[in-house]
Amino acid sequence: MAEKLMPAEMRLLVTGGAGFIGANFCHYWRQRFPQGHLVVLDALTYAGNQASLAGLMNQAGFHFAEGDINDTPLVEKLLHEHKLNTIVHFAAESHVDRSIHDPDAFLHTNILGTHSLLRAARKVWLDAPGGVIPHRFHHISTDEVYGTLGPQDPPFREDTPYAPNSPYAASKAASDHLVRAYQHTYGLRTTTSNCSNNYGPYHFPEKLIPLVILNILHGRPLPIYGDGQQVRDWLFVEDHCQGIGLILERGEEGESYNIGGHNEWTNLDIVRLICELLDTAFAADSSLAQRFPHAAPAQGKAAERLISYVKDRPGHDRRYAIDASKIGRELGYTPQHSFAEGIRKTVDWYLQHSDWWQPLLGDAYAQWVQKQYAG
Ligand code: NAD
Ligand code: DAU
């Protein structure tokens, strides 16, 4: 068993730390280890938002570097200057629909960008005189690399063969293989996690759950792709962060761990549930109708009336489900949030944080939505 870093000794480079899961992870980690050293490297693409790191930016031991993971010399410089021994790699192009419209950026960031990080880590941690041992490169991946399941198929396990269907999933699969190859060939100390759909605070409103919440608040249609019977396995983002933390502390070099919530929902049921939660929230608090006068429930209509069936996503995966028994058995992982609790927290967070999401709904967002539904 390889020597491991204790959490207090870990000095982290968090790539993509201004994105949805990366920012949640930074908050989670700093809460657990307030004295720890953490550097975020983020290119601040449309999905990156420094506001998601509010409260951390001025803390001692927290540093933000704006830059591309493809800038290998910059990564090497950060590893050297901050004496970093751990990389937690979130940075990616993450939206399946965007990968269908325009795959190039997905190959650039998800494949070449991951390779740039691996190259930098190898150079600084393995090849430089003295090197940095122990170290850890943790790669954040997705259940989408396994492809799609039929209704009766068993959930994805770590040994399920890869069968990625979208350009996004294919680019993530390629990055997983590169991580594996760097461990096998050069002895870089890597781990990988493949997680199911996350939801929670700081989620960019192009993804189903935040999009539906904000569209209800603006009285806009709720687009359901195809028949809405596709199934996703939803996990509260803090529970994903907890799983990553456990892998950093106890995970075995070269291993992959699936993380999931045992929480399968059809898209249509999820959307109906969010409609109900917002109807109830508006009924309980009359100030919401003043703050969001265009919302369906502010106008005496059930939010569900906004549901609108639209053309299906090309190549749409029908069902994802994760078998998370390995991380449970080997690392003691159990999600801490029930779905009822997590989704309520999420809806409340969006109701209370219009200051966070309002600035995101500018021209670029409107253009993307328009392009998306133009067919
Ligand atoms: P996100 O799109 O919200 O954030 C991605 C972040 O990466 C942004 O801050 C962006 O600015 C940054 N970034 C993009 N390209 C970059 C580049 N070239 N250099 C530096 N930074 C760059 O994504 P997310 O939903 O937080 O996903 C994070 C990771 O988790 C991704 O690797 C994704 O594949 C994986 N994942 C996501 C989910 C999910 O449900 N969202 C589930 C499983 C796995
Ligand atoms: O499974 C993990 C993956 O989950 C991550 O790797 C991806 O980064 C993340 O984006 C997510 O991918 P999905 O494609 O499952 O998430 P999205 O929120 O885009 O869509 C969820 C489901 O809802 C999917 O079946 C498509 C459907 N959908 C989505 C949108 C945006 C709709 O029906 N209408 C919509 O407007």
Side-chain angles (χ1 to χ4, degrees):
M1 221 182 278
E3 186 193 347
K4 290 192 176 65
L5 287 161
M6 300 298 287
E9 300 168 319
M10 290 178 191
R11 297 174 66 84
L12 266 60
L13 178 67
V14 177
T15 71
F20 164 46
I21 308 175
N24 277 284
F25 178 78
C26 290
H27 288 285
Y28 171 83
W29 191 260
R30 292 291 292 181
Q31 223 163 359
R32 286 196 60 205
F33 306 106
Q35 310 305 325
H37 196 90
L38 194 161
V39 178
V40 167
L41 172 61
D42 198 295
L44 294 179
T45 67
Y46 79 94
N49 188 350
Q50 281 180 298
S52 304
L53 297 169
L56 298 180
M57 295 296 269
N58 298 322
Q59 286 184 6
F62 184 90
H63 302 267
F64 184 88
E66 182 174 347
D68 192 322
I69 55 171
N70 280 287
D71 185 348
T72 319
L74 170 64
V75 178
E76 286 170 17
K77 183 167 160 269
L78 292 172
L79 293 178
H80 274 303
E81 276 183 359
H82 292 270
K83 298 186 169 42
L84 304 174
N85 53 24
T86 304
I87 295 177
V88 190
H89 173 35
F90 294 93
E93 287 293 335
S94 69
H95 192 34
V96 174
D97 292 324
R98 286 184 191 258
S99 84
I100 294 166
H101 282 279
D102 189 5
D104 289 17
F106 288 73
L107 274 60
H108 176 77
T109 289
N110 301 359
I111 306 179
L112 297 179
T114 300
H115 186 240
S116 157
L117 287 173
L118 288 163
R119 224 169 43 206
R122 177 186 166 206
K123 186 164 167 192
V124 176
W125 292 345
L126 294 177
D127 295 349
V132 178
I133 306 284
H135 59 250
R136 176 70 72 81
F137 186 111
H138 182 66
H139 176 54
I140 309 295
S141 192
T142 170
D143 59 359
E144 301 205 12
V145 297
Y146 299 120
T148 187
L149 293 169
Q152 305 306 328
D153 289 338
F156 301 128
R157 292 160 38 110
E158 288 78 1
D159 56 5
T160 301
Y162 275 29
N165 286 321
S166 68
Y168 162 70
S171 68
K172 291 297 291 187
S175 66
D176 293 11
H177 292 321
L178 283 167
V179 171
R180 179 187 146 85
Y182 264 67
Q183 192 269 336
H184 188 81
T185 306
Y186 305 114
L188 194 71
R189 298 184 177 192
T190 66
T191 40
T192 295
S193 49
N194 295 84
C195 191
S196 60
N197 284 64
N198 286 215
Y199 67 97
Y202 306 117
H203 205 178
F204 191 81
E206 64 186 350
K207 308 280 170 65
L208 182 71
I209 288 183
L211 178 116
V212 164
I213 297 172
L214 297 196
N215 279 14
I216 293 173
L217 295 182
H218 292 91
R220 294 194 194 121
L222 311 179
I224 305 283
Y225 297 169
D227 63 4
Q229 294 305 312
Q230 304 83 4
V231 172
R232 296 291 182 269
D233 181 351
W234 292 96
L235 181 71
F236 191 57
V237 62
E238 243 177 73
D239 288 332
H240 185 184
C241 296
Q242 183 220 343
I244 296 166
L246 278 175
I247 297 170
L248 290 177
E249 287 176 48
R250 303 182 199 159
E252 286 302 326
E253 177 187 333
E255 291 293 317
S256 288
Y257 299 89
N258 281 355
I259 309 180
H262 302 292
N263 180 43
E264 293 182 52
W265 285 74
T266 66
N267 293 338
L268 192 57
D269 285 344
I270 282 275
V271 172
R272 288 193 173 130
L273 174 68
I274 297 169
C275 288
E276 265 173 47
L277 287 172
L278 279 165
D279 288 344
T280 308
F282 274 72
D285 178 357
S286 58
S287 74
L288 288 176
Q290 280 155 19
R291 287 176 53 215
F292 306 108
H294 301 292
Q299 306 195 344
K301 290 185 223 146
E304 212 177 302
R305 285 179 56 185
L306 298 171
I307 286 178
S308 159
Y309 290 88
V310 300
K311 206 167 101 196
D312 207 353
R313 172 186 278 175
H316 200 168
D317 284 339
R318 198 67 182 164
R319 173 176 167 239
Y320 301 144
I322 277 276
D323 177 341
S325 54
K326 176 178 172 183
I327 189 171
R329 189 175 60 247
E330 295 185 7
L331 308 186
Y333 174 72
T334 331
Q336 300 298 302
H337 297 80
S338 70
F339 187 59
E341 186 189 349
I343 193 76
R344 200 176 304 271
K345 266 193 176 183
T346 305
V347 168
D348 286 349
W349 189 87
Y350 280 88
L351 286 173
Q352 287 157 19
H353 289 83
S354 53
D355 57 328
W356 180 84
W357 51 257
Q358 199 73 54
L360 306 178
L361 308 182
D363 291 349
Y365 178 79
Q367 270 168 25
W368 159 250
V369 172
Q370 208 170 24
K371 186 169 157 192
Q372 168 80 350
Y373 299 114

